[in-house]
């Protein structure tokens, strides 16, 4: 089969995937599996080889993702139930002062979204935004946009959130580099999309707390866990994973310290340590029974299961592209392109995101398509971390009416569609564009 035919098959597969998700509303997990099977068959793979590729693609991806996302979900759920998210926000607002509460909310969102899913973190903290808006008389957007920006940046850029973990697994990137570049890209993205844009748009659109939102305002509660404890728990896995990555750069192979840090800093071990500590320090030490802690952890795996399966299906799609020969043709074609690989990664993710709305689908699809290029060029090390963030940035831009996050903000802020586009959509696009520009600039020096 000619290379041009294989390219047509890959393109047809992408369009079919978009059609199934957008028009027929078929679940992304099923749609990815179906498209993977059809691409493999159309590319001339023997049927038994198609099935083997499905098994190896799913198993190879989930062997890592299932463990990390599962542990991260339980860790985040304990933080949520214990009131740790509220404590972080309240303490930061107290330290920054009401005058600088925009910055405090942006930072709070940035930290909270490391272990807690975006929508959960927003729902937990939005009463604080309501309280500040009522107290000061300022537009709800003045406080809400910084919080949203902080949550959205970390959710997209910094593991152990599912998106960057999924992409890192599919393309083989080290999570330490992903965390480092995610922070470097995330901080300026949060500042510009949060406090800076929030202050600007609040002057243009005055929003009050919707009458239909009867949410109890959060007051400082002395029974909440301490700020120091929550910060300690959140940063433990990040520090251990980064220590692992940096030890591989700074210390010789075989060095005892490097071996120890490599073990402690593996995401399995780092997240297991953090999760066990949350069970103890936020669970049994704070009055929860062991049965209650077990119930909380089990409940946390329900939303994580969907993300894990979609990611696994993305791994299947990647494996089919490789085993069918489509990947070699795609890799050669993209390698000969004048566009930098990091720009292609961003553009592919952005196009899929705009077309069908789901950031997760955009991420895993872009990762599957860019993997052959990575293999063709032979990229390793830090560059892969930059590509992960470029894909994450592309999957963030231009959130609109086909994205569930759009409607979450629309309802909680009482906005009409036009104003949601002017606020949420612009904020998300700023995050994606700034994040991409940061990693693209870094790539010029690597």
């Amino acid at each position: 089969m000619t290379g041009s035919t294989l390219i047509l098959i890959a393109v047809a597969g992408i369009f079919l995937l978009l059609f199934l998700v957008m028009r027929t509303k078929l679940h992304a997990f099923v749609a990815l599996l179906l498209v993977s099977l059809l691409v493999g068959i159309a590319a001339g793979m023997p049927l038994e080889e198609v099935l083997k590729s499905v098994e190896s693609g799913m198993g190879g991806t989930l062997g890592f993702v299932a463990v990390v996302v599962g542990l991260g979900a339980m860790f985040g759920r304990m933080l949520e139930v214990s009131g740790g998210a509220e404590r972080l926000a309240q303490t930061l607002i107290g330290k920054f002062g009401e005058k600088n509460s925009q910055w405090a909310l942006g930072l709070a969102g940035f930290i909270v979204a490391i272990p807690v899913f975006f929508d959960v973190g927003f729902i937990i903290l939005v009463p604080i935004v309501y309280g500040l808006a009522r107290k000061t008389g300022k537009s709800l957007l003045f406080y809400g946009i910084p919080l949203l920006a902080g949550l959205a940046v970390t959710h997209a850029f910094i593991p152990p959130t599912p998106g960057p973990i999924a992409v890192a697994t599919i393309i083989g990137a080290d999570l330490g580099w992903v965390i480092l570049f995610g922070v470097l890209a995330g901080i300026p993205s949060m500042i510009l999309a949060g406090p800076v844009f929030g202050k600007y748009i609040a002057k243009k659109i005055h929003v009050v707390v919707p009458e239909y939102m009867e949410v109890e305002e959060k007051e400082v509660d002395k029974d909440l866990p301490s700020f120091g404890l929550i910060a300690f728990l959140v940063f433990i896995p990040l520090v251990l994973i980064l220590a692992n990555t940096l030890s591989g750069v700074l210390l010789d192979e075989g060095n005892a310290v490097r071996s120890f840090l490599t073990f402690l800093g593996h995401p399995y071990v780092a997240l297991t340590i953090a999760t066990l500590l949350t069970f103890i320090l936020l669970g049994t030490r704070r009055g929860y029974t062991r049965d209650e802690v077990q119930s909380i952890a089990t409940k946390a795996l329900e939303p994580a299961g969907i993300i894990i399966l979609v990611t696994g299906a993305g791994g299947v799609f990647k494996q089919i592209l490789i085993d069918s020969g489509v990947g070699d043709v795609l890799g050669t074609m993209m390698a000969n392109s004048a566009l930098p690989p990091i720009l292609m990664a961003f553009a592919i993710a952005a196009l899929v995101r705009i077309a069908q709305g789901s950031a997760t689908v955009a991420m895993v699809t872009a990762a599957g398509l860019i993997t052959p290029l990575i293999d063709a060029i032979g990229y390793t090390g830090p560059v892969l971390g930059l590509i992960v963030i470029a894909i994450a940035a592309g999957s963030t831009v231009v959130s609109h009416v086909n994205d569930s996050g759009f409607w979450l903000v629309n309802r909680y802020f009482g906005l009409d569609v036009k104003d949601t586009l002017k606020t949420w959509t612009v904020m998300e696009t700023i995050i994606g564009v700034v994040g991409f520009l940061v990693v693209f600039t870094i790539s010029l020096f690597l």
Side-chain angles (χ1 to χ4, degrees):
M1 192 172 292
T2 65
S4 58
T5 303
L6 290 174
I7 292 294
L8 287 174
I9 290 171
V11 171
I14 295 298
F15 278 108
L16 177 60
L17 174 63
L18 295 176
F19 173 79
L20 292 173
V21 174
M22 293 166 58
R23 296 297 182 186
T24 69
K25 303 302 180 183
L26 189 64
H27 194 282
F29 171 65
V30 180
L32 278 163
L33 283 181
L34 178 58
V35 169
S36 298
L37 291 170
L38 293 176
V39 167
I41 294 169
M45 291 179 68
L47 297 181
E48 61 273 16
E49 293 301 318
V50 172
L51 297 177
K52 287 181 181 178
S53 293
V54 171
E55 184 176 344
S56 62
M58 181 69 74
T61 303
L62 293 191
F64 180 81
V65 170
V67 176
V68 175
V69 173
L71 286 169
M74 290 187 283
F75 174 41
R77 179 64 176 165
M78 282 303 305
L79 189 74
E80 172 195 343
V81 170
S82 69
E86 291 99 321
R87 171 58 73 199
L88 280 171
Q90 291 170 355
T91 301
L92 288 171
I93 290 172
K95 295 292 184 182
F96 278 72
E98 189 175 291
K99 183 179 179 181
N100 298 311
S101 54
Q102 266 195 313
W103 296 88
L105 285 165
L107 183 57
F110 192 90
I111 297 172
V112 165
I114 293 173
V116 176
F117 290 128
F118 169 85
D119 52 349
V120 174
F122 176 63
I123 292 168
I124 291 172
L125 297 180
V126 75
I128 296 175
V129 172
Y130 288 168
L132 286 168
R134 284 176 175 142
K135 184 177 181 180
T136 63
K138 292 184 178 180
S139 173
L140 197 59
L141 300 173
F142 185 82
Y143 303 104
I145 291 295
L147 173 63
L148 285 168
L151 291 167
V153 162
T154 310
H155 180 73
F157 292 167
I158 303 176
T161 53
I165 285 177
V167 178
T169 304
I170 292 172
I171 72 172
D174 183 289
L175 279 189
W177 291 118
V178 177
I179 291 171
L180 179 60
F181 295 135
V183 171
L184 292 177
I187 291 174
S189 299
M190 184 274 287
I191 291 172
L192 292 174
V196 174
F197 176 65
K199 184 177 182 180
Y200 166 79
I201 200 65
K203 294 177 181 177
K204 303 290 184 181
I205 304 173
H206 187 81
V207 181
V208 297
V209 180
E211 293 182 2
Y212 56 78
M213 292 305 298
E214 296 180 0
V215 181
E216 183 181 350
E217 293 181 17
K218 300 289 184 180
E219 300 293 339
V220 176
D221 184 351
K222 293 182 180 178
D223 292 332
L224 293 175
S226 70
F227 175 84
L229 173 60
I230 299 302
F232 169 73
L233 292 171
V234 169
F235 287 111
I236 273 182
L238 302 185
V239 170
L240 290 177
I241 293 170
L242 278 171
N244 171 21
T245 299
L246 294 176
S247 69
V249 175
L250 301 175
L251 301 176
D252 296 330
E253 191 171 350
N255 183 291
V257 174
R258 174 176 170 176
S259 298
F260 181 66
L261 290 175
T262 298
F263 175 75
L264 281 185
H266 191 285
Y268 291 168
V269 179
L271 279 167
T272 297
I273 292 171
T275 303
L276 288 174
L277 286 173
T278 60
F279 288 166
I280 296 168
L281 299 177
L282 299 181
T284 53
R285 287 282 183 89
R286 293 185 56 80
Y288 290 97
T289 66
R290 292 179 181 178
D291 286 340
E292 287 172 333
V293 171
Q294 184 184 53
S295 177
I296 291 168
T298 301
K299 189 75 174 174
L301 295 177
E302 292 178 6
I306 296 172
I307 295 166
I308 289 169
L309 288 175
V310 171
T311 304
V316 171
F317 182 58
K318 178 205 76 170
Q319 197 64 43
I320 288 288
L321 289 178
I322 292 171
D323 294 346
S324 66
V326 175
D328 290 336
V329 178
L330 278 174
T332 302
M333 182 187 73
M334 288 190 286
N336 293 329
S337 169
L339 294 176
I342 196 168
L343 177 57
M344 283 192 281
F346 172 81
I348 293 169
L351 289 172
V352 178
R353 157 70 157 181
I354 294 167
Q356 54 75 49
S358 169
T360 302
V361 173
M363 284 186 177
V364 298
T365 303
L369 290 171
I370 208 70
T371 298
L373 172 61
I374 291 170
D375 294 339
I377 297 177
Y379 280 147
T380 58
V383 175
L384 294 181
L386 293 174
I387 291 175
V388 171
I389 304 304
I391 290 174
S395 72
T396 303
V397 300
V398 197
S399 165
H400 58 94
V401 295
N402 60 7
D403 179 20
S404 60
F406 180 94
W407 297 108
L408 180 73
V409 175
N410 175 278
R411 171 167 173 76
Y412 273 83
F413 285 178
L415 300 168
D416 58 25
V417 171
K418 181 180 178 182
D419 284 343
T420 311
L421 288 168
K422 289 180 178 179
T423 55
W424 164 257
T425 302
V426 173
M427 183 206 79
E428 284 276 88
T429 303
I430 292 172
I431 289 171
V433 171
V434 173
F436 168 71
L437 290 175
V438 170
V439 294
F440 183 76
T441 302
I442 294 172
S443 73
L444 299 177
F445 299 94
L446 291 181

